[in-house]
Amino acid sequence: MASLLRQIVAGPRSRHPEAGLDLCYVTDQIIATSGPSGTYPQRAYRNPLDQLVKFLDYKHGEDWAIWEFRAEGTGYPDSEVYGRVWHYPWPDHHPPPFRVVPLVMASMRNWLRGADAEGKESQDKKKKRVVVVHCKAGKGRSGTMACSYLISECGWAASEALARFTERRMRPGFGQGVSIPSQLRWVGYVDRWTKGGKIYVERQIEIMEVHVWGLRDGVKVQVEGFVDEGKKIKLFHLFTKKERVIVDGNESGTSGVRDAVKNRERVPEFKKPEETSGTNYKPQPTKSKTVTETSQLDGANGSTPLINEPQTASENRSQTTSGTSTPEATGSEAGGGAVIFKPSTRVILPTSDINIDFERRNKATMGYTMVTSVAHVWFNTFFEGKGPEQEGNADESGVFEIEWDKMDGIKGSSRKGTRAFDRLAVVWKVYEPEPGRRSKEDVITEPGVDSPVPQMAPADWKGDNEEVPKKAKDLGLRTESPASADHSKASSITSDNDGNDDDDSFKGVKTSSPTGGEFPDDVPESSATPPKLKSIVDAKVEAAKEAPQHSLADVNAGLDTASSTTSHPGAQPQSPESEHSLIEGIASIATSKLPGGVPEEEMKDAHEHKLGHLGLKKKSDVS
């Protein structure tokens, strides 16, 4: 049964003929594997740690070491792998803090070239060492670092490295090995970092404004960044309604004119930079201009402003009453409005890694809200400011732009839900504690071959580590909270779905040999997708624990199918008033007052009522 569960979680694919494990050889010196575990119940459906160690000992002796990237915890103590493990953890489904990339590259390079943790070379250089990279599924985070090593240390092109990892790790037709847009962006950063002399400068960054085109209703926007050496993602600012300046009052599903008047602020329009990334971008006031065409908001031809000056209420009214087509007429969703988010307090992030997170929610009933879209995007201001191309002297300010379709989805997938906006632009600059005085910069270079390489402090291997501001971001119902009502039109803080769904992480993952060959299937396709046994069992156990305990009398009373409203022989009939009093808070309405209704005394008995009148009506309609 455990073997079958591992087959399901791993992809499914056939077991490795020697190891019986979920692992692949990206090259003959780089092994990618899903996270092993030495404790139950994880080892029933993950790689058993003892079997992985036994395989590595058999194939490579003492010439293997592990690089792990799990901020959620490795699932095993270091002593179980002879202490040959390097820790560089960061949260799942996200790119790494870029400052750890040079450390990972240098430590892997030194190990493969025969040096130990202190940078001293081994006496026996003939032995061929291997590195074993793993995260949770051995796909996104592991693939990002495996490809980064091939690019920075082996001279591969970025496209070639990504293609090799996909070929060795993924089943045909199941997409890329590294598929998350922000992780792919980081692989591109590594390529530029390598070509630029492997210099990286960490700076404190201030978020000035967030410009959004086509913003729909009920969208919450927040700014996040890495803390605790990259093991955690911290929420630095959550924009409120008071910080939202509506420039074009046409938000989907709302009265855009009323919102525009209510939130009216006069702000100058902003010039669009000639190039959207890595420019000394500064807002320039120009003449007021009315937004009347979509091309103006899109910044067509690079000459129109990012966002124009707000319209007056009269301009909005004239535009609304004009002869232009409306979403109601075309049957499509409204495109939303152009909005500027201006923080009321300074938003300072400690590193150059920036995450902009979006969540759209709609009002539901019974104290719930419906989350209809979730998306986020990571970018690094050193690279957006052209640092590698300018010998490490990145621009001090700039604008990062992206469209909705290129945002990161839920749990590393492309699934984002309904559209929350059309396009995003983030205005940033290097933090200045005082005018003219810049904050301290940290120049990071790759350690040399003979230099010791530091590593990060590991997360608690037992798990239960808080990695992100809100766990299990997903679509679905959430309980309503008045505390967050100031951030969007729908408020919620608690998700009803906090389970860990591994489908997106493990889908399509396969095993492969050092030469990249696949192995014959020994599991029939029909058994590839049975129900998730562990999830079902755990759900039933939890439900049994939470079920209220009843006495025998309560159980016997529940077996009586006759309700209190059922008439019994000899019992006094209840009046209509007493019947209605059984359901408090619900007003009774006479049937005669309903549209097309008749008095109750004229209504036929249920057994006597026929549906013949429907047939007559149908015939009359046809005639």
Side-chain angles (χ1 to χ4, degrees), residues 226-274:
F226 287 117
V227 294
D228 192 13
E229 297 182 331
K231 288 190 290 293
K232 297 180 181 179
I233 297 174
K234 179 181 177 181
L235 170 62
F236 284 91
H237 189 76
L238 176 60
F239 288 101
T240 65
K241 292 181 180 179
K242 294 180 180 179
E243 297 171 317
R244 184 175 70 169
V245 181
I246 297 181
V247 180
D248 180 25
N250 185 28
E251 192 178 4
S252 173
T254 64
S255 176
V257 176
R258 287 200 303 270
D259 289 345
V261 174
K262 183 177 180 181
N263 298 288
R264 177 61 51 224
E265 265 187 50
R266 302 299 294 180
V267 295
E269 71 173 2
F270 296 100
K271 293 286 187 179
K272 179 180 175 67
E274 294 180 0

Side-chain angles (χ1 to χ4, degrees), residues 6 27 70 171 192 262 326 428 448 476 529 560 584 619:
R6 285 195 291 271
T27 67
R70 300 191 66 180
R171 295 175 58 188
R192 294 169 56 193
K262 183 177 180 181
T326 62
W428 58 269
T529 56
D560 185 9
E584 298 180 356
K619 292 180 180 178

Side-chain angles (χ1 to χ4, degrees), residues 95-309:
F98 201 89
R99 69 177 301 131
V100 309
V101 173
L103 305 180
V104 176
M105 299 300 101
S107 58
M108 292 174 62
R109 176 205 63 206
N110 289 357
W111 170 261
L112 292 177
R113 292 185 180 181
D116 57 19
E118 300 299 325
K120 300 178 180 179
E121 292 191 359
S122 173
Q123 298 296 326
D124 189 356
K125 298 182 179 180
K126 294 182 179 180
K127 291 185 178 181
K128 204 169 193 179
R129 288 182 167 182
V130 297
V131 298
V132 182
V133 294
H134 84 74
C135 48
K136 184 177 182 179
K139 180 179 177 289
R141 288 174 286 183
S142 299
T144 300
M145 284 307 180
C147 292
S148 297
Y149 185 83
L150 294 178
I151 294 169
S152 64
E153 307 301 325
C154 301
W156 291 42
S159 58
E160 294 174 348
L162 291 167
R164 165 57 72 90
F165 185 79
T166 298
E167 173 194 357
R168 294 295 177 92
R169 192 64 176 137
M170 301 301 296
R171 295 175 58 188
F174 275 82
Q176 296 175 297
V178 182
S179 58
I180 298 175
S182 289
Q183 290 180 345
L184 290 171
R185 184 176 301 108
W186 250 244
V187 172
Y189 287 164
V190 171
D191 187 39
R192 294 169 56 193
W193 170 73
T194 303
K195 296 175 181 178
K198 297 184 178 180
I199 299 175
Y200 174 68
V201 181
E202 191 80 278
R203 307 174 296 179
Q204 289 182 296
I205 300 299
E206 180 176 0
I207 301 300
M208 305 301 294
E209 295 175 350
V210 176
H211 298 199
V212 185
W213 288 263
L215 184 69
R216 274 60 171 181
D217 63 316
V219 177
K220 183 173 67 174
V221 184
Q222 58 191 36
V223 181
E224 300 173 347
F226 287 117
V227 294
D228 192 13
E229 297 182 331
K231 288 190 290 293
K232 297 180 181 179
I233 297 174
K234 179 181 177 181
L235 170 62
F236 284 91
H237 189 76
L238 176 60
F239 288 101
T240 65
K241 292 181 180 179
K242 294 180 180 179
E243 297 171 317
R244 184 175 70 169
V245 181
I246 297 181
V247 180
D248 180 25
N250 185 28
E251 192 178 4
S252 173
T254 64
S255 176
V257 176
R258 287 200 303 270
D259 289 345
V261 174
K262 183 177 180 181
N263 298 288
R264 177 61 51 224
E265 265 187 50
R266 302 299 294 180
V267 295
E269 71 173 2
F270 296 100
K271 293 286 187 179
K272 179 180 175 67
E274 294 180 0
E275 296 181 359
T276 58
S277 60
T279 58
N280 289 319
Y281 172 78
K282 294 182 179 180
Q284 299 292 334
T286 59
K287 296 181 180 180
S288 175
K289 191 180 297 182
T290 302
V291 180
T292 58
E293 296 181 5
T294 306
S295 60
Q296 289 179 304
L297 291 178
D298 291 340
N301 301 324
S303 58
T304 53
L306 280 177
I307 291 183
N308 290 313
E309 189 175 355

Side-chain angles (χ1 to χ4, degrees), residues 33 52 86 274 327 431 521:
T33 178
L52 177 63
W86 295 74
E274 294 180 0
Y431 170 58
D521 294 338

